Amino acid sequence: MEITNEHMVRMLTQMLRIREFDERAARLMEQARVKGSVHLYCGEEAIGVGVCESLRADDYITSTHRGHGHLIAKGGDPKRMYAELFAKASGYNGGKGGSMHLAALDLGIIGANGIVAAGAPIALGVAFASQYQDNDRVTVCFFGDGATNEGAFHEAVNMAAILKAPVIFVCENNGYGEWSPTATQTSVADIADRAAAYGIPGVVIDGMDLAAVYEAAGEAVARARSGGGPSLLECKTYRFYDHVGRDFGVLQRDPEEIAYWRARDPILLWRNRLEELGVLSSTDADALHASVVGEMEAAIAWADAQPDPHPDALFTDVYTEPAA
Amino acid sequence: MEITNEHMVRMLTQMLRIREFDERAARLMEQARVKGSVHLYCGEEAIGVGVCESLRADDYITSTHRGHGHLIAKGGDPKRMYAELFAKASGYNGGKGGSMHLAALDLGIIGANGIVAAGAPIALGVAFASQYQDNDRVTVCFFGDGATNEGAFHEAVNMAAILKAPVIFVCENNGYGEWSPTATQTSVADIADRAAAYGIPGVVIDGMDLAAVYEAAGEAVARARSGGGPSLLECKTYRFYDHVGRDFGVLQRDPEEIAYWRARDPILLWRNRLEELGVLSSTDADALHASVVGEMEAAIAWADAQPDPHPDALFTDVYTEPAA
Amino acid sequence: MSVKTMTAAVNEAIDQEMARDERVFVAGEDVRVGGPFGTEAGLHAKYGDKRIVNTAISELALTGIGVGAAAVGLRPIIEIMIMDFVTVAMDQIVNQMAKMKYMLGGQATLPIVVTTHAGVDSSSAAQHSGSLEAWFCHVPGLKVLMPSNAYDAKGLLTAAIRDDNPVIFISNKRCLQTSCEVPDEPFALPLGVAEVKREGRDLTIVATGRLVIDALDVAETLAGQGISVEVIDPRTLSPLDMDTILASVRKTSRAIVAHEAVRTCGIGAEIAARISDEAFDYLDAPVKRVGAPFTPVPFAPLLEDRYLPGKAQILDAVREIGLTT
Amino acid sequence: MSVKTMTAAVNEAIDQEMARDERVFVAGEDVRVGGPFGTEAGLHAKYGDKRIVNTAISELALTGIGVGAAAVGLRPIIEIMIMDFVTVAMDQIVNQMAKMKYMLGGQATLPIVVTTHAGVDSSSAAQHSGSLEAWFCHVPGLKVLMPSNAYDAKGLLTAAIRDDNPVIFISNKRCLQTSCEVPDEPFALPLGVAEVKREGRDLTIVATGRLVIDALDVAETLAGQGISVEVIDPRTLSPLDMDTILASVRKTSRAIVAHEAVRTCGIGAEIAARISDEAFDYLDAPVKRVGAPFTPVPFAPLLEDRYLPGKAQILDAVREIGLTT
Ligand SMILES: Cc1ncc(C[n+]2csc(CCOP(=O)(O)OP(=O)(O)O)c2C)c(N)n1
Ligand SMILES: Cc1ncc(C[n+]2csc(CCOP(=O)(O)OP(=O)(O)O)c2C)c(N)n1
Ligand SMILES: [Mg+2]
Ligand SMILES: [Mg+2]
């Protein structure tokens, strides 16, 4: 697959934006400037970016508790995301959702979700609507390895397969569900094998390799868009940090395991590749990185200065009132 | 596998008992002598019998809404079953459960269930207990094709596989869930393929062929008993009657389809085989059949004469009171 | 106008709203053949697979179809065959559908109707006889309806389908076969408005579903004894129309609340607590509650009869508050 | 005796009962590392994989482990990490665990404890802050416990594990880090028995979980104004110890019921309805209820603060019944 130089750089930029967004989100949480639980996407950037770069602006995604990366990849604005983390009125959710419920319906981002696997039935519904409305939008459902053990996942994939709904199930297998290794939770080594239970394609992908993700996602998206029905993409990846925040100290992970995956940092790999291909010089890459850092610092400053929600916001948005 | 003549005849007897039990249950329901919903096992007898004949008396089963056959196959007494259908005090459940909740814990029959697929998590729990108690009992979980689309099924099989729990998942694929053909509900042609999602063996079996069921069940039971973990057996079968009772008239089924399966009546096939093998003469078989009919008529008469539950039974068995 | 069963009225409401609005569709188990109670009879022939979506036995996924489709502009009707089966769909109903608008700071509009069939019905036993409306009345973001007759059923369901919020529409099974005059044209009743089904002076009975019929019977019986009973059907259980209920109790000074669900923590507790609080100075007698006893639903018809609250239990309550002896 | 947090007290109860009875085991998500709140800390090291069963993220299956294992003689403790997650396990809890004994005509004995963590807790937002105890109090066959301090937590949980019925044991999250003197030895408190946490003459406050602490604070404040408040903690929400509550209200003639859950259809509705009925002749003022407003739980700390019922809301209720101005 041909990727233009410009596109390669944009994808690097997107990964950097996600990384720098979350590194800061982690620190803000540690400083108690951000409340609630922040689940970091660090290490998994190639998946969100590789998949969302295969989508159109009018396509949809559903996300998870670990959703910042999906939002940014689908066009979410870090300013409004930080504002939401800061519980400000101009956050995407007006301060009422926080990290676990970040959503931007106008960008096709149906939302993060605090309930493991709950996005799968919702993604099914969104994809069903695209068939119903006879548009050619597709829906991507992101979820973790652990989520594939919830009944919701199973029911949704089965129904999607039956309806040939235009949905791509993207499993981010990061080796853990909270503090439990995947192998102790999930009865198959390759979650892609679960596709066989639904008669749909299942593919194992190196989730640290942006090009691999992008290519596989492109195929699945094309299939879904042309009426070929759902696919299951399993992206093997790694959670660089702890389940929530950077280090809770609950789980001792093997330092060798960490080192192995850190060496396969998707951003590092992609940057090296672009440098090798001569797409970007090391100096350019550093400058790009610095500009992303600047963007995030500015976004935090902007968000921090936003107003709080009105206290009466507590009582609004419970119901939709009839138009007057 | 060697089956003694005596055993062959016993298995025929068991199938006949199930058939004659349910033919009568249907009529009693039509006559409104039995209240509630009665789901008939007619056509599926080879599965219950083939599987339960592979079990020991101290093994366990969980059953479904279509559970009469499982109960009889596992040693249930038709007298007490009819008494339950008649809502009598000496019914297995004291008249409080009815057809959909028939159980006999002392026979290892954990119970029918009114919630599709709910037996699967329970069977997992029972099998877990056998591991915990370090006995070598196995648990069979019976369920329909439709049940494999419920999240409960998925979660239970995954956990059973992880724990290597001694449970055998037996799918009775009778082509329909209520009035919906399996193909419109289930995204794979062979439900046995779903085993791949859990890394356990999955086998397709002719559910009309008692010997085939018996043999496959024997292997799965031996594997489970010796610590080899769960299996999924898919028995292809057919629901001779409607979803509830004999004919609701809701669903028009293709007469050719019915004729095809009627010709493959598991009792007919097995009886023919025994006659061919010279195990049983046609006269003997007729006599056997007649004696089974007599047994069922006597069971109904017995059950009918049983006392009603005391009206205060409404209030008992809600909680277990501490022993005095 | 013509006489219709509640089943037919429900069917007609769905049919007419589907005809009226392309975005309305039905998803559920066996809806293709009309659903287990016939509420979708004939609709598949008319609207086809696209709009009468016959799903797998997967209540969580099928409810998710509703949530996802509504989030992007459709108006789903999600049928959960029997109310006890909501237990496998609770996450999508409670954590997603009910909360999404709020969690998203108002971004989402979720015009979903979840229809289901509740209550005891000829020995269906403990897993097919539940009345769980109180659970949903405890969940902000949902509206909860329970009509007691065909007319209300059509008007309320029509309004529910047109409403922009998630609505749980509960048919009490023992009302489905009752019938009354129902307009043939589409019409919507306002949600959140109770109806005085019979006026009276001495006692207010607030009843839901089948118990409305029982309460009207009781009112008739008591009229013969010179006791004048006002019967109120909230119809919408969430939000409750307390104004109508309180106005009545302030007039009669006595109230009984009656429903089929288990009495403890039923919707009657909320209504009784509010009457007792907000009409405190008007009450001449304690507010009594009628509901099922604290047991699962038994199979035996003999026990089921004893289990089911009805006329006798309401009359007991009337006696307890001293209106009869 | 030593000072323990509620978390430590829960841990100790589980530990001691596991030591005492081989049949007791724990199954749940991440219980191997002690669970999300540390209630199982150290237990895996002591009891290993066999008895501390770290499950997949499969609440329905893991609850089924409890049902099945209990049916054949074990005594499971099933942990549902956060109360909102019960929504995916409701069938096993409500249709199986709660009803099995009854449906089977008494054949089954199901000594299961389902432990979970409920309520608001530093901006966990709408899907991790629920208090759903009222749902379970509406389900015959279950017992429901909610302790407000470490002492009660240990005594009640010990009793729950020894009880032969399914018990839902709810830790209110904002109580987990509170501490008090707790016996080091195993001890069981009776289930179904409320405790008078403070005696008083003028007003009864029935409170649950964290609101007990708030109610005691209020009682202290009001004592300074010469108002004597009795505070009752039911501890067991199902079955309710109405005798203790009614005895108190008959003495004080005034009652407020307070809990963190949404007020509408909360357990407070049941308690208020029963007080209003059964102590009708003794009441000098309407029974007031304090509970969360009818909204999902917001994320913003500012809104969460406003959402959470506490001392201020109880004091408002005291004012409403005219005890203060
Ligand atoms: C139904 C439900 N159960 C449990 C949880 C608690 N929980 C939050 S995230 C998580 C782990 C999810 O693992 P995985 O799906 O692999 O996603 P990851 O965090 O690894 O990205 C768990 C158990 C939850 N939020 N919802
Ligand atoms: C959770 C749940 N959903 C729906 C039903 C209604 N129902 C009862 S039996 C049945 C069909 C089950 O099909 P299958 O599993 O194939 O079993 P079969 O009846 O064919 O033996 C359905 C949908 C139910 N009892 N429980
Ligand atoms: Mg993971
Ligand atoms: Mg079937």
Side-chain angles (χ1 to χ4, degrees):
Chain A
M1 195 179 19
E2 274 309 317
I3 316 183
T4 63
N5 286 2
E6 194 194 335
H7 194 181
M8 286 193 225
V9 175
R10 186 173 78 224
M11 293 204 279
L12 177 62
T13 314
Q14 284 292 72
M15 290 202 290
L16 284 168
R17 293 174 79 224
I18 295 172
R19 175 71 52 90
E20 295 303 331
F21 181 94
D22 259 2
E23 290 284 356
R24 278 163 188 74
R27 256 168 281 151
L28 292 166
M29 182 185 142
E30 287 158 14
Q31 295 159 4
R33 289 175 65 195
V34 163
K35 299 292 179 347
S37 299
V38 170
H39 303 83
L40 306 173
Y41 199 64
C42 302
E44 314 189 11
E45 293 88 348
I47 306 169
V49 173
V51 169
C52 290
E53 287 293 318
S54 310
L55 297 179
R56 292 196 319 231
D58 64 349
D59 288 332
Y60 300 108
I61 66 165
T62 64
S63 172
T64 67
H65 57 288
R66 199 176 299 290
H68 303 166
H70 308 139
L71 262 93
I72 294 179
K74 187 67 175 54
D77 178 350
K79 291 200 296 299
R80 297 197 55 201
M81 291 171 63
Y82 278 126
E84 186 60 31
L85 298 193
F86 284 142
K88 301 291 192 170
S90 36
Y92 270 118
N93 305 29
K96 284 161 135 169
S99 170
M100 263 196 294
H101 307 298
L102 271 168
L105 291 196
D106 56 347
L107 300 172
I109 301 165
I110 307 299
N113 212 308
I115 303 296
V116 169
I122 297 173
L124 164 69
V126 174
F128 167 85
S130 294
Q131 290 184 299
Y132 192 96
Q133 295 162 332
D134 202 16
N135 62 43
D136 65 347
R137 300 181 186 185
V138 306
T139 301
V140 167
C141 174
F142 289 105
F143 53 94
D145 47 287
T148 70
N149 301 320
E150 284 281 2
F153 162 79
H154 175 72
E155 294 190 10
V157 183
N158 178 62
M159 273 301 298
I162 295 237
L163 295 170
K164 278 192 171 285
V167 53
I168 300 101
F169 294 98
V170 177
C171 178
E172 305 179 313
N173 184 347
N174 61 10
Y176 292 86
E178 291 199 345
W179 304 286
S180 298
T182 306
T184 66
Q185 305 214 314
T186 306
S187 54
V188 278
D190 290 329
I191 287 165
D193 288 351
R194 295 199 157 166
Y198 314 103
I200 62 170
V203 195
V204 175
I205 302 157
D206 178 354
M208 303 315 236
D209 178 348
L210 178 66
V213 174
Y214 182 66
E215 183 168 345
E219 281 170 27
V221 167
R223 180 182 313 109
R225 210 184 293 291
S226 61
S231 317
L232 173 62
L233 309 186
E234 178 191 8
C235 305
K236 307 271 192 189
T237 183
Y238 194 67
R239 196 181 74 195
F240 279 0
Y241 293 126
D242 205 338
H243 172 58
V244 176
R246 290 197 289 196
D247 189 10
F248 257 39
V250 182
L251 182 78
Q252 301 299 334
R253 291 195 288 187
D254 180 356
E256 276 184 36
E257 177 184 289
I258 298 178
Y260 168 82
W261 286 99
R262 275 285 185 182
R264 309 205 58 251
D265 182 332
I267 297 183
L268 204 70
L269 296 185
W270 189 245
R271 179 181 160 152
N272 287 347
R273 181 137 154 199
L274 299 208
E275 290 185 19
E276 276 162 26
L277 290 172
V279 173
L280 208 65
S281 71
S282 182
T283 335
D284 290 347
D286 285 344
L288 179 65
H289 198 151
S291 86
V292 164
V293 166
E295 180 200 354
M296 293 305 149
E297 293 294 343
I300 291 171
W302 181 88
D304 201 27
Q306 295 302 301
D308 286 332
H310 189 283
D312 289 345
L314 173 61
F315 302 107
T316 58
D317 302 322
V318 183
Y319 292 97
T320 302
E321 302 303 333
Chain B
M1 194 179 21
E2 274 309 319
I3 316 182
T4 63
N5 287 2
E6 194 193 335
H7 195 182
M8 287 195 227
V9 176
R10 186 172 79 225
M11 293 205 278
L12 178 62
T13 313
Q14 284 293 73
M15 291 203 289
L16 285 167
R17 293 174 79 225
I18 294 171
R19 175 73 51 91
E20 296 303 331
F21 181 94
D22 259 2
E23 291 284 358
R24 277 164 188 73
R27 256 167 282 152
L28 291 167
M29 183 185 140
E30 287 157 14
Q31 295 159 4
R33 288 174 65 193
V34 164
K35 299 291 177 352
S37 299
V38 170
H39 302 83
L40 306 173
Y41 199 64
C42 302
E44 313 189 13
E45 293 88 348
I47 306 169
V49 172
V51 170
C52 290
E53 287 293 319
S54 310
L55 296 179
R56 291 197 319 232
D58 64 349
D59 288 331
Y60 300 108
I61 66 166
T62 63
S63 172
T64 67
H65 56 287
R66 200 176 297 291
H68 303 166
H70 308 139
L71 261 93
I72 293 178
K74 188 65 173 61
D77 178 349
K79 290 200 297 300
R80 297 198 54 202
M81 291 170 63
Y82 278 127
E84 187 59 30
L85 298 193
F86 284 142
K88 301 290 194 171
S90 37
Y92 269 118
N93 305 29
K96 284 161 133 167
S99 170
M100 263 196 293
H101 308 298
L102 270 167
L105 291 196
D106 55 347
L107 299 173
I109 301 165
I110 307 298
N113 212 307
I115 303 296
V116 169
I122 298 173
L124 164 69
V126 174
F128 167 85
S130 294
Q131 290 183 299
Y132 192 97
Q133 293 163 333
D134 203 15
N135 63 43
D136 64 348
R137 300 180 186 185
V138 306
T139 301
V140 167
C141 175
F142 289 105
F143 53 95
D145 47 287
T148 69
N149 301 322
E150 283 281 0
F153 163 79
H154 175 72
E155 294 190 10
V157 182
N158 177 62
M159 273 300 299
I162 296 236
L163 294 170
K164 278 194 170 284
V167 53
I168 300 102
F169 293 99
V170 177
C171 179
E172 305 179 312
N173 184 347
N174 60 9
Y176 292 86
E178 291 199 346
W179 304 286
S180 298
T182 306
T184 66
Q185 305 215 313
T186 306
S187 55
V188 278
D190 289 330
I191 286 165
D193 287 351
R194 296 200 155 164
Y198 313 103
I200 63 170
V203 197
V204 176
I205 302 157
D206 177 355
M208 302 316 237
D209 178 349
L210 178 65
V213 174
Y214 181 66
E215 183 167 345
E219 282 170 27
V221 167
R223 181 182 312 109
R225 209 184 294 291
S226 61
S231 317
L232 173 60
L233 310 186
E234 179 193 7
C235 305
K236 306 272 193 189
T237 183
Y238 195 68
R239 199 182 72 194
F240 280 0
Y241 293 125
D242 205 340
H243 172 59
V244 177
R246 289 197 290 197
D247 189 10
F248 257 39
V250 181
L251 182 78
Q252 300 300 333
R253 289 196 289 186
D254 179 356
E256 274 185 38
E257 176 184 289
I258 298 177
Y260 169 81
W261 286 100
R262 277 282 185 183
R264 309 205 58 250
D265 182 331
I267 296 182
L268 203 71
L269 296 185
W270 189 246
R271 180 181 159 151
N272 288 348
R273 181 138 155 198
L274 298 209
E275 289 184 19
E276 276 162 28
L277 289 173
V279 173
L280 208 66
S281 71
S282 182
T283 335
D284 288 348
D286 285 343
L288 179 66
H289 198 150
S291 88
V292 164
V293 166
E295 181 199 355
M296 292 306 148
E297 293 295 343
I300 291 172
W302 181 87
D304 201 28
Q306 294 301 301
D308 286 332
H310 189 283
D312 289 346
L314 174 61
F315 302 108
T316 58
D317 302 322
V318 182
Y319 292 97
T320 302
E321 303 301 334
Chain C
M1 280 288 206
S2 54
V3 173
K4 300 180 178 95
T5 61
M6 188 155 131
T7 303
V10 165
N11 183 278
E12 197 168 84
I14 298 174
D15 188 3
Q16 293 176 342
E17 291 309 297
M18 287 185 71
R20 194 175 159 272
D21 188 339
E22 277 281 335
R23 297 166 303 175
V24 178
F25 71 93
V26 178
E29 293 161 18
D30 284 306
V31 290
R32 195 176 56 82
V33 297
F37 297 94
T39 42
E40 287 86 14
L43 299 182
H44 184 264
K46 200 157 164 187
Y47 298 105
D49 281 343
K50 178 181 172 182
R51 298 182 67 193
I52 298 294
V53 185
N54 202 67
T55 71
I57 312 174
S58 309
E59 287 79 6
L60 201 47
L62 99 87
T63 311
I65 290 181
V67 176
V72 296
L74 299 185
R75 304 184 74 85
I77 300 173
I78 298 299
E79 174 160 302
I80 305 288
M81 210 176 253
I82 304 279
M83 192 155 206
D84 307 75
F85 309 163
V86 295
T87 49
V88 286
M90 288 302 274
D91 173 57
Q92 285 293 327
I93 299 176
V94 172
N95 287 326
Q96 313 301 332
M97 188 187 296
K99 297 175 185 170
M100 191 188 270
K101 182 182 190 72
Y102 193 84
M103 293 189 298
L104 267 55
Q107 292 178 68
T109 303
L110 293 170
I112 308 170
V113 182
V114 177
T115 59
T116 192
H117 304 96
V120 166
D121 170 35
S122 52
S123 284
S124 294
Q127 292 175 336
H128 284 69
S129 304
S131 293
L132 300 169
E133 58 275 11
W135 285 3
F136 298 102
C137 296
H138 193 42
V139 179
L142 301 177
K143 297 185 180 182
V144 181
L145 311 182
M146 189 191 270
S148 64
N149 66 39
Y151 179 94
D152 289 352
K154 180 169 176 186
L156 292 173
L157 182 51
T158 301
I161 297 170
R162 296 179 189 176
D163 196 274
D164 276 339
N165 295 285
V167 180
I168 314 290
F169 179 89
I170 305 167
S171 302
N172 198 161
K173 287 185 217 155
R174 288 181 303 137
C175 294
L176 282 174
Q177 288 315 310
T178 65
S179 44
C180 65
E181 290 276 345
V182 182
D184 300 323
E185 314 72 51
F187 74 102
L189 288 169
L191 303 188
V193 178
E195 192 181 45
V196 177
K197 294 287 183 191
R198 177 185 176 121
E199 295 201 11
R201 290 176 318 274
D202 304 324
L203 166 66
T204 302
I205 303 182
V206 182
T208 68
R210 177 71 192 203
L211 273 285
V212 174
I213 300 172
D214 295 326
L216 288 170
D217 269 4
V218 165
E220 196 58 36
T221 304
L222 292 179
Q225 303 172 37
I227 301 170
S228 162
V229 177
E230 182 143 310
V231 177
I232 296 183
D233 179 356
R235 303 191 297 191
T236 301
L237 303 183
S238 181
L240 273 172
D241 174 7
M242 284 306 297
D243 290 347
T244 300
I245 294 170
L246 290 170
S248 173
V249 177
R250 288 189 183 121
K251 177 177 70 176
T252 63
S253 305
R254 289 178 195 83
I256 291 170
V257 188
H259 53 58
E260 181 179 326
V262 165
R263 193 178 72 168
T264 306
C265 284
I267 178 74
E270 178 66 26
I271 298 173
R274 290 199 61 182
I275 294 174
S276 300
D277 176 359
E278 297 169 42
F280 185 76
D281 291 329
Y282 296 83
L283 285 174
D284 286 346
V287 181
K288 291 288 170 189
R289 288 180 290 149
V290 169
F294 205 62
T295 81
V297 182
F299 165 69
L302 157 82
L303 302 178
E304 193 189 68
D305 269 3
R306 191 162 187 208
Y307 172 90
L308 258 186
K311 229 180 124 164
Q313 287 75 8
I314 299 175
L315 283 169
D316 284 346
V318 174
R319 214 168 296 120
E320 282 176 52
I321 57 179
L323 270 180
T324 56
T325 47
Chain D
M1 280 288 206
S2 53
V3 173
K4 298 179 180 101
T5 61
M6 189 157 130
T7 303
V10 164
N11 183 277
E12 196 168 87
I14 298 174
D15 188 3
Q16 291 177 343
E17 290 310 296
M18 287 186 71
R20 195 176 157 271
D21 188 339
E22 277 281 334
R23 297 166 302 175
V24 178
F25 70 93
V26 178
E29 294 162 18
D30 284 305
V31 290
R32 195 177 55 84
V33 296
F37 297 94
T39 42
E40 287 85 13
L43 299 182
H44 184 263
K46 202 158 163 184
Y47 299 104
D49 282 344
K50 177 180 173 183
R51 298 183 66 195
I52 299 293
V53 185
N54 203 69
T55 71
I57 312 175
S58 309
E59 288 79 6
L60 201 47
L62 100 87
T63 310
I65 290 180
V67 176
V72 297
L74 299 185
R75 305 185 74 85
I77 299 173
I78 298 300
E79 174 160 303
I80 305 287
M81 211 176 252
I82 304 278
M83 193 157 204
D84 307 75
F85 310 163
V86 295
T87 49
V88 286
M90 288 303 275
D91 173 57
Q92 284 293 326
I93 298 176
V94 172
N95 287 327
Q96 314 300 331
M97 189 187 293
K99 297 176 184 169
M100 191 188 269
K101 183 183 189 75
Y102 192 84
M103 292 189 299
L104 268 55
Q107 293 178 65
T109 303
L110 293 170
I112 307 170
V113 182
V114 176
T115 59
T116 192
H117 304 95
V120 165
D121 171 34
S122 50
S123 285
S124 295
Q127 293 175 336
H128 284 68
S129 303
S131 293
L132 301 168
E133 58 276 10
W135 285 3
F136 298 103
C137 297
H138 193 43
V139 178
L142 301 177
K143 297 185 181 182
V144 181
L145 312 182
M146 189 191 271
S148 64
N149 67 39
Y151 179 95
D152 289 352
K154 180 169 177 184
L156 292 173
L157 181 52
T158 301
I161 297 170
R162 295 180 189 175
D163 195 274
D164 277 339
N165 295 285
V167 180
I168 315 290
F169 179 89
I170 305 167
S171 302
N172 199 162
K173 287 184 215 155
R174 288 179 305 138
C175 294
L176 282 173
Q177 288 315 309
T178 66
S179 44
C180 66
E181 290 276 344
V182 182
D184 300 323
E185 314 73 52
F187 73 102
L189 286 169
L191 303 188
V193 178
E195 192 181 44
V196 177
K197 295 287 183 189
R198 178 185 175 122
E199 295 202 8
R201 290 176 318 273
D202 304 324
L203 166 67
T204 301
I205 303 181
V206 182
T208 67
R210 177 71 191 204
L211 274 285
V212 174
I213 300 173
D214 295 326
L216 289 169
D217 268 5
V218 166
E220 196 58 35
T221 304
L222 292 179
Q225 302 172 34
I227 300 169
S228 163
V229 177
E230 181 144 311
V231 176
I232 296 183
D233 179 355
R235 302 192 297 194
T236 302
L237 304 183
S238 181
L240 274 171
D241 174 7
M242 284 306 297
D243 290 347
T244 300
I245 294 170
L246 291 170
S248 174
V249 177
R250 288 187 182 123
K251 177 177 68 175
T252 63
S253 304
R254 290 177 194 84
I256 292 171
V257 187
H259 54 57
E260 182 179 325
V262 164
R263 194 178 72 170
T264 306
C265 284
I267 178 75
E270 178 66 25
I271 298 173
R274 289 198 61 180
I275 294 174
S276 300
D277 175 0
E278 297 168 43
F280 185 76
D281 292 329
Y282 296 83
L283 285 174
D284 287 345
V287 180
K288 291 288 171 190
R289 288 180 290 150
V290 170
F294 205 61
T295 82
V297 182
F299 165 69
L302 158 82
L303 302 178
E304 193 189 71
D305 269 4
R306 192 163 186 207
Y307 172 90
L308 257 186
K311 229 181 124 165
Q313 287 74 9
I314 299 175
L315 283 169
D316 285 345
V318 173
R319 214 169 296 119
E320 282 176 51
I321 58 179
L323 270 180
T324 55
T325 47

